Amino acid sequence: VVQFDGSDDYLSRTTFSNWPVDDITIFIVQKSELVNQSTISINGVYPTYGRFNAHIPWSDSNVYWDYGLTSGGSYGRIYQSIPADFSSGFQLYKFDYDSSVDTLSFDYNGIEYQSGIADISSIVDINGQTGFEFFLGRDDNNNDRYLNGDVAEVLIFDSVLTDDQVSKVNYYLSKKWGL
């Protein structure tokens, strides 16, 4: 478990290989305080950026999932308020983007909370490119959004998992972390 105190600590990486370039599924097990913060993000290079951000949770109890670029020059986003005492224990989050239906989805503790059309026109291939930085424990471009909480596990898949695969991963993470 990696503990973040919300001040200025985070983990980062600037070299990418085998990073998903389209479909993606991410599982995150964490517990955190209810503040403006980010768990996982990628800071990109103008004008493509390579938007990738999961705010868990924001101060309004919403979880935000930002991904890719839309035809309007913005990024695909879904968000949903979740009923939880964030600091009470570990929670399980799943995010995915399915390019075949252009949909972003978000699950909380094994229940789908939000799914919607993303209008994503491009996903930047950041593999081997310079200027991109992966962050665990902070926002992609704002130094005051550090995570105040514990991240137990992050799993990233380069595809959208089937319902059976999601069930198996949920079971594995739930058993491992006592959820």
Side-chain angles (χ1 to χ4, degrees):
V1 175
V2 180
Q3 296 178 329
F4 298 95
D5 65 9
S7 63
D8 63 357
D9 51 348
Y10 63 92
L11 299 173
S12 69
R13 182 174 179 97
T14 57
T15 304
F16 297 90
S17 61
N18 300 316
W19 187 263
V21 295
D22 203 355
D23 292 347
I24 191 169
T25 302
I26 303 167
F27 293 86
I28 299 172
V29 177
Q30 81 171 47
K31 63 179 172 180
S32 59
E33 299 297 322
L34 182 60
V35 294
N36 288 353
Q37 61 190 6
S38 257
T39 297
I40 188 170
S41 64
I42 292 177
N43 189 19
V45 178
Y46 179 81
T48 57
Y49 291 113
R51 184 71 181 191
F52 179 93
N53 215 336
H55 301 291
I56 312 174
W58 208 243
S59 61
D60 54 9
S61 298
N62 282 330
V63 170
Y64 288 85
W65 167 226
D66 304 336
Y67 190 61
L69 297 173
T70 65
S71 56
S74 187
Y75 46 85
R77 167 179 272 181
I78 59 171
Y79 61 94
Q80 180 66 44
S81 180
I82 55 176
D85 178 5
F86 297 106
S87 60
S88 68
F90 285 108
Q91 312 293 327
L92 174 58
Y93 304 89
K94 179 187 78 75
F95 304 92
D96 66 37
Y97 172 66
D98 184 342
S99 64
S100 69
V101 291
D102 191 30
T103 302
L104 291 168
S105 298
F106 156 64
D107 293 7
Y108 171 65
N109 287 335
I111 299 169
E112 184 175 292
Y113 261 72
Q114 178 74 319
S115 182
I117 300 298
D119 188 32
I120 291 176
S121 60
S122 70
I123 307 295
V124 176
D125 181 357
I126 60 177
N127 289 303
Q129 293 193 40
T130 60
F132 289 89
E133 188 169 9
F134 170 85
F135 296 110
L136 181 64
R138 76 166 252 212
D139 195 312
D140 61 335
N141 62 8
N142 195 320
N143 290 333
D144 65 352
R145 296 180 182 152
Y146 293 99
L147 180 65
N148 186 11
D150 301 342
V151 177
E153 191 154 349
V154 177
L155 300 174
I156 302 172
F157 297 89
D158 64 354
S159 63
V160 175
L161 302 185
T162 66
D163 289 343
D164 184 53
Q165 291 169 323
V166 168
S167 292
K168 288 177 181 176
V169 173
N170 280 339
Y171 179 78
Y172 161 77
L173 291 172
S174 294
K175 292 299 270 183
K176 181 175 181 180
W177 297 106
L179 305 175

